[in-house]
Amino acid sequence: MITNQKSWFGAEMRLISVILFVVEFVRGAVLVSLLPIFGAKTLGLSPDVIGAAISAHYLTDTLLKMAIGYLLDRFSTRIVVQAGLIISLIGIYLLQFSELPWMFIGAAALYGIGMSPIWIVCLTKVTDQQRATQMGTLYTIWMVGLGSGPIVCNILLDYSVSFTYKLLVSMSVAACVLTLFMSKERAAASNRMPFQKQLVILKERLGHMKMLLPGMILQTTGASMLVPILPSFANQELGISGTQYSILLTAGGLFAAGGLIPMGKLADKLVNKKWFLVTGFGAFAFGLYMLASGLSFWYCLLIAAALGLSYSAILPVWNALLAAYVPPNQEGLGWGVLSTFEGIGVMIGPAAGGLIAAWNGEASVFWTSAILFGLIGLFYLWFPFPAIATNEKATNK
């Protein structure tokens, strides 16, 4: 098993992982810190406009997932990833000229175009053995990048907005340069099926996994609702400084990243993985509810750590379940379709969060998100849950 894991995480996978880390570092910094803080303090934009910009980012990201998955099954991964990152670089570069709301939203939408390829490439590399462990490894890289971006950005923004922005642009350029070292080989096409036949198989698989669809959409909706209002909520409602806010993000990120691989390994050893999700969703809902209560910094620090740990219990098992439904020889399209369903929630969440905050205050966004995560936990508590082992057999037919 150790040999298989080392073989999976070879030189090409390490390069892809570095690119993923850089891309997610910039994405986290832009979406969680730069857009909300720059949009509100520098441009004077309202929460609903900022939420619309973040939703626009995820809208383009989501709508293109299926098409990108299709392209990855037919063209060199280097070409697809490289083209996407160049387009995203143009989007983040144009943010400095986004003085009007429509320009702000448009630049964020353009930035979202190139985010999908690198993540879908990573997902297609996951093998049948030790799925949860491999998912835990990928999500550790993803989460460390996504979490460290806002932390570093928050600190730098206190000193210089211009330097912070130039740093993020430079890192985006670096990600584009790294793609030059990716393999030029096209994915093997010997067993590729016609596109229409692939869609028929995917439709059949989606019918079998209808029990997972509510969780796919609602969890991403609940999480992304918080993105537009997190910095201002921390400052205005919790009364904490930018440094303390960075500490909270660090605590949550460290516990989440630190728990992903152990949780993935534990899940691989257990037959009934249902309780990972039920407990994880329930704990996450309770933590969000407590954060909305306006507790002191030290209580918030404990809650942030608990939220990170509960999320680490959810992610590896959840994505290992999804991986079991991706048919062989069409991994790119399969993950593109599944990511599209998950992206629906990410697409509508920020706009919904911004509207709720403008209508009834930022604390109500936390309450709404907590309700959504609680409903997901209850849903999977009372309804039958598919087993990964069964799905793996179906996948290999």
Side-chain angles (χ1 to χ4, degrees):
M1 297 236 178
I2 296 176
T3 304
N4 291 337
Q5 184 69 7
K6 286 184 178 179
S7 176
W8 171 74
F9 205 73
E12 178 72 8
M13 193 64 206
R14 287 196 294 270
L15 173 61
I16 294 173
S17 298
V18 171
I19 298 173
L20 175 67
F21 172 82
V22 175
V23 168
E24 293 301 332
F25 181 97
V26 176
R27 192 215 285 253
V30 170
L31 296 182
V32 179
S33 295
L34 187 66
L35 287 184
I37 294 175
F38 179 75
K41 293 186 177 181
T42 304
L43 301 179
L45 299 174
S46 59
D48 54 342
V49 174
I50 296 172
I54 297 173
S55 284
H57 166 87
Y58 285 115
L59 174 65
T60 52
D61 181 22
T62 299
L63 292 179
L64 292 174
K65 275 189 169 70
M66 189 183 300
I68 289 171
Y70 177 79
L71 293 174
L72 285 171
D73 280 337
R74 283 154 179 80
F75 298 98
S76 164
T77 56
R78 170 177 163 178
I79 293 176
V80 179
V81 172
Q82 199 171 63
L85 292 184
I86 290 174
I87 295 173
S88 290
L89 174 61
I90 296 172
I92 193 173
Y93 178 77
L94 291 178
L95 279 175
Q96 61 185 311
F97 307 109
S98 57
E99 299 176 353
L100 299 176
W102 70 267
M103 297 174 64
F104 188 75
I105 295 172
L110 191 62
Y111 176 56
I113 290 178
M115 294 292 101
S116 296
I118 186 63
W119 179 240
I120 295 178
V121 167
C122 289
L123 293 177
T124 61
K125 300 294 184 181
V126 174
T127 61
D128 288 338
Q129 294 186 0
Q130 294 183 300
R131 272 186 178 147
T133 302
Q134 292 175 23
M135 282 294 182
T137 302
L138 286 180
Y139 267 97
T140 300
I141 298 167
W142 168 80
M143 186 165 289
V144 171
L146 194 67
S148 58
I151 294 169
V152 174
C153 188
N154 285 333
I155 296 173
L156 295 178
L157 282 172
D158 288 337
Y159 296 95
S160 173
V161 175
S162 176
F163 174 78
T164 305
Y165 173 74
K166 290 177 181 178
L167 175 64
L168 297 178
V169 172
S170 299
M171 293 187 69
S172 298
V173 172
C176 293
V177 172
L178 286 174
T179 61
L180 295 174
F181 300 96
M182 292 180 63
S183 173
K184 295 181 180 180
E185 294 182 2
R186 183 184 301 182
S190 57
N191 296 320
R192 297 298 181 199
M193 292 176 286
F195 181 60
Q196 290 183 342
K197 186 175 180 180
Q198 292 187 42
L199 290 179
V200 171
I201 295 175
L202 282 171
K203 183 179 179 181
E204 180 183 351
R205 296 290 171 90
L206 289 173
H208 292 159
M209 63 181 295
K210 57 182 178 290
M211 294 296 294
L212 296 179
L213 294 180
M216 291 174 68
I217 297 173
L218 290 181
Q219 68 170 297
T220 51
T221 301
S224 61
M225 287 174 64
L226 303 174
V227 175
I229 56 98
L230 271 176
S232 59
F233 177 82
N235 180 255
Q236 298 176 14
E237 300 293 332
L238 300 180
I240 63 178
S241 64
T243 301
Q244 289 175 319
Y245 176 60
S246 294
I247 292 174
L248 290 181
L249 292 177
T250 303
L254 285 176
F255 274 83
L260 281 172
I261 294 178
M263 289 290 186
K265 290 182 177 180
L266 180 60
D268 280 330
K269 296 179 181 179
L270 299 179
V271 176
N272 189 355
K273 300 169 175 60
K274 167 182 178 176
W275 295 105
F276 273 84
L277 299 184
V278 173
T279 304
F281 284 127
F284 204 82
F286 182 73
L288 290 177
Y289 173 79
M290 293 302 295
L291 274 181
S293 303
L295 300 175
S296 65
F297 169 73
W298 293 107
Y299 284 108
C300 290
L301 186 62
L302 292 176
I303 294 172
L307 286 172
L309 194 60
S310 62
Y311 207 50
S312 71
I314 296 170
L315 284 179
V317 175
W318 182 261
N319 285 280
L321 280 170
L322 295 184
Y325 288 92
V326 177
N329 301 321
Q330 53 178 144
E331 289 85 358
L333 180 62
W335 277 113
V337 172
L338 296 180
S339 298
T340 299
F341 275 95
E342 287 189 321
I344 292 174
V346 182
M347 185 172 59
I348 64 178
L355 289 173
I356 293 172
W359 167 62
N360 198 37
E362 294 172 341
S364 61
V365 182
F366 277 83
W367 296 330
T368 305
S369 181
I371 291 172
L372 290 179
F373 277 99
L375 289 175
I376 300 170
L378 289 175
F379 180 83
Y380 292 125
L381 175 64
W382 293 107
F383 285 84
F385 202 77
I388 293 179
T390 302
N391 296 332
E392 284 175 350
K393 292 178 182 179
T395 301
N396 293 324
K397 284 184 179 179

